[in-house]
Amino acid sequence: AAPAVAWAASSYHYERRRSGAHAESSRRVVTSVHRDDWRYGAWRDASGGLDFLAARWRDACSAGGTAARPSLVKIRLRKALVFDDIATGDDYHAQLAAFARAHRHRDVHLALEQDFDLAGWDADERMLGVRRPLGAPGRLWTPAGFWIATSLGLTVPYRGLLERRCAVSTLEVVKRVRSLRPEAPPG
């Protein structure tokens, strides 16, 4: 999925209110919110593909030596955005600065937020993988086993045992982006 990089500029000021002789409170009043997207030229997935995923999977499964090979692997996914070259990074920061300049005079204060998103990405992206054919995890480590343990009030011990049986692997989904603006010709 193509990466989406968005900026939001919130203009605000504080209003002070007195209630009583000595009590004073202030509240933040947002007067405008503007959004814009970073326009980049091209992107490509630099995560390594399925071969890299399989290698990381094997590494996680071989943790602890061959005698204690876990049959379950908890996979955590992270996302990263990487600039393809220095010109792309400069272009990104120039567009962000222009966006901030366009909105900085709307009120007393300005808050800038940056967001990087991938279509269909869950913020808490995790998976549980089963290593086959080298070993089945057993019936207890299935969704039905979880619900049986839960119905018996054994969720905490179940999770503790599951943690001991699992290897952990973190896979990073990397998107490389290139600037829309052409580089200056040499010379």
Side-chain angles (χ1 to χ4, degrees):
V5 181
W7 303 312
S10 301
S11 300
Y12 63 96
H13 63 272
Y14 289 99
E15 289 183 353
R16 296 180 192 268
R17 294 191 177 181
R18 286 192 174 213
S19 56
H22 300 288
E24 187 175 299
S25 66
S26 64
R27 70 180 185 111
R28 181 176 167 166
V29 178
V30 176
T31 54
S32 66
V33 176
H34 298 276
R35 297 185 190 332
D36 197 5
D37 294 326
W38 177 43
R39 291 169 297 282
Y40 54 87
W43 68 275
R44 65 183 169 94
D45 186 23
S47 304
L50 291 176
D51 292 335
F52 180 74
L53 173 65
R56 291 295 304 259
W57 177 279
R58 281 191 299 277
D59 291 346
C61 286
S62 63
T66 55
R69 286 187 137 181
S71 54
L72 299 170
V73 178
K74 286 195 317 186
I75 304 168
R76 293 187 179 111
L77 297 177
R78 292 188 319 187
K79 59 184 176 178
L81 184 73
V82 177
F83 299 134
D84 213 26
D85 53 22
I86 293 172
T88 300
D90 292 345
D91 181 48
Y92 173 84
H93 292 294
Q95 284 188 44
L96 178 59
F99 176 72
R101 275 192 308 277
H103 300 292
R104 71 176 174 196
H105 298 295
R106 298 192 188 274
D107 208 336
V108 178
H109 303 285
L110 177 70
L112 283 175
E113 295 179 16
Q114 303 173 57
D115 184 40
F116 161 52
D117 197 20
L118 297 172
W121 186 271
D122 184 2
D124 188 27
E125 199 72 46
R126 294 184 225 171
M127 295 181 277
L128 182 64
V130 178
R131 183 174 53 92
R132 295 193 189 268
L134 298 175
R139 289 187 195 165
L140 182 60
W141 311 113
T142 63
F146 169 77
W147 287 113
I148 290 170
T150 301
S151 66
L152 295 173
L154 299 172
T155 304
V156 173
Y158 181 89
R159 291 181 66 104
L161 289 170
L162 182 64
E163 287 290 324
R164 283 193 214 130
R165 291 187 56 102
C166 283
V168 177
S169 180
T170 300
L171 301 174
E172 195 165 44
V173 176
V174 180
K175 301 294 181 175
R176 292 189 73 88
V177 291
R178 179 171 283 279
S179 177
L180 184 63
R181 299 175 186 189
E183 295 181 30

